[in-house]
Amino acid sequence: LQNNESDVSAQLQSLDKIRINSYNQAAYNSSKFDLSFMFTETTGGIRINIGYNSDLFHLATISRMADHLESVLAAAVNMPSTALQAIDFLPVEEKQLLLGTFNTTQTSQPQNKTILDLFEEQAALTPAATAIIFEQTTINYQQLNELSNQLSDYLLQQHHIQPDDLIGICLPRSEWAIIAILAVIKAGAAYVPVDPQYPQERIDYILCNADCKAVINNILLEEFKQAMHLYAATNAPHRSGPSNLAYVIYTSGSTGKPKGVMIEHAAIADYILTMQQEYAVTQNERILQTASIAFDAASEQIWLAITSGATLYLIDHITLI
């Protein structure tokens, strides 16, 4: 607040034979600070000059900021008993822009879909299309669907899986990791992905903390492969809905112990449908699967590919390193 050299103080000065006039300061051509507000007393009130770094702010932003300040001052004068934090400084037009125009969430996406619905619909639509390529192995959508059906049937019969049960998946990068993810979903459970490259202490903690009903690892997978011909390859009735858990991802634990983040079918299905729409993903796409299955980015890569009819390319761990 500049009040020592203001118009008011200048007019109060009186010297014989000397006339004093106010001087209108020219506009600044540079700013000493990123943002500064200078208030100067005048005979008519207070004049405000705003100085700003034009590398950081646009004139429109500063003008909007000035309008907000004017709104706050006007409200304070008109309603002096109102708490400052209760004053609404946004004009009606700007509030509508922020809360309405910028916040439009309506979509034409189908409702009440699970991620399994999206996959099985795609598998029925393009059964012969290539779903997964890993090293020398190629699997089409029909094979991926049937193999995951058989592993799901095995889990149901051997481990009596119930909806929202948690099943750990601790497998190296291969087509079987994707088959296992689908199998757990088909069984109505939620998968807990664990990277086998993790330190054993972290692996043990996650599986114990999640209280997994079963863990799909190389041992279980070999047992299944020996008897897979005994299990049904056809689609079974779905055992979970949009509000059921799809998977649980554990955080890094940088703020303490790792914590499980629970993701429901509705959430991942809505996200994948939005990705398909925004990026116009079709069955002609090739999607590279680079993230660890224990990292949430893997969910986007995997589910986006196999619900769009695209081909998911898996890279082995050594190549990734």
Side-chain angles (χ1 to χ4, degrees), residues 49-50 63 74 79 90 144 146 176 220 239 250 264 284 299-300 304-305:
N49 288 320
I50 303 178
S63 298
M79 300 177 292
L90 290 177
L144 178 59
E146 291 178 351
W176 281 103
L220 182 147
R239 295 166 52 84
Y250 271 76
E264 296 180 352
N284 297 320
S299 302
E300 174 184 310
L304 180 61

Side-chain angles (χ1 to χ4, degrees), residues 181-244:
I181 287 174
L182 276 167
V184 172
I185 294 292
K186 285 173 175 282
Y191 62 93
V192 182
V194 181
D195 194 327
Q197 299 295 322
Y198 282 161
Q200 190 60 46
E201 181 181 359
R202 178 176 170 86
I203 293 175
D204 294 341
Y205 172 81
I206 292 175
L207 296 178
C208 178
N209 183 261
D211 193 21
C212 293
K213 195 165 187 178
V215 178
I216 303 177
N217 51 25
N218 283 329
I219 297 174
L220 182 147
L221 200 55
E222 286 305 315
E223 292 177 355
F224 162 70
K225 289 179 180 179
Q226 295 298 320
M228 60 187 297
H229 62 282
L230 300 176
Y231 299 100
T234 55
N235 290 345
H238 292 185
R239 295 166 52 84
S240 57
S243 61
N244 287 112

Side-chain angles (χ1 to χ4, degrees), residues 57-234:
F57 299 97
H58 292 295
L59 176 59
T61 303
I62 300 301
S63 298
R64 190 163 57 249
M65 196 179 295
D67 291 340
H68 293 167
L69 177 59
E70 184 179 3
S71 297
V72 171
L73 296 176
V77 170
N78 294 327
M79 300 177 292
S81 61
T82 303
L84 184 62
Q85 64 265 30
I87 292 177
D88 189 355
F89 63 87
L90 290 177
V92 175
E93 297 80 6
E94 188 174 350
K95 185 182 294 186
Q96 176 59 37
L97 181 67
L98 294 173
L99 301 180
T101 305
F102 289 167
N103 197 38
T104 301
T105 57
Q106 295 180 347
T107 67
S108 58
Q109 296 173 359
Q111 301 298 311
N112 299 320
K113 290 281 189 179
T114 67
I115 200 69
L116 180 56
D117 291 322
L118 302 180
F119 167 73
E120 288 187 348
E121 289 171 4
Q122 186 59 55
L125 187 64
T126 57
T130 300
I132 296 174
I133 292 179
F134 176 67
E135 296 181 337
Q136 305 304 314
T137 301
T138 299
I139 296 179
N140 64 31
Y141 274 84
Q142 180 176 336
Q143 293 169 325
L144 178 59
N145 191 46
E146 291 178 351
L147 286 169
S148 57
N149 281 335
Q150 289 177 293
L151 182 53
S152 173
D153 194 25
Y154 168 86
L155 292 173
L156 288 169
Q157 293 192 40
Q158 298 299 322
H159 297 279
H160 310 290
I161 307 300
Q162 299 299 320
D164 289 333
D165 279 346
L166 300 184
I167 307 297
I169 297 178
C170 189
L171 293 171
R173 299 174 63 83
S174 75
E175 72 278 10
W176 281 103
I178 312 303
I179 292 168
I181 287 174
L182 276 167
V184 172
I185 294 292
K186 285 173 175 282
Y191 62 93
V192 182
V194 181
D195 194 327
Q197 299 295 322
Y198 282 161
Q200 190 60 46
E201 181 181 359
R202 178 176 170 86
I203 293 175
D204 294 341
Y205 172 81
I206 292 175
L207 296 178
C208 178
N209 183 261
D211 193 21
C212 293
K213 195 165 187 178
V215 178
I216 303 177
N217 51 25
N218 283 329
I219 297 174
L220 182 147
L221 200 55
E222 286 305 315
E223 292 177 355
F224 162 70
K225 289 179 180 179
Q226 295 298 320
M228 60 187 297
H229 62 282
L230 300 176
Y231 299 100
T234 55

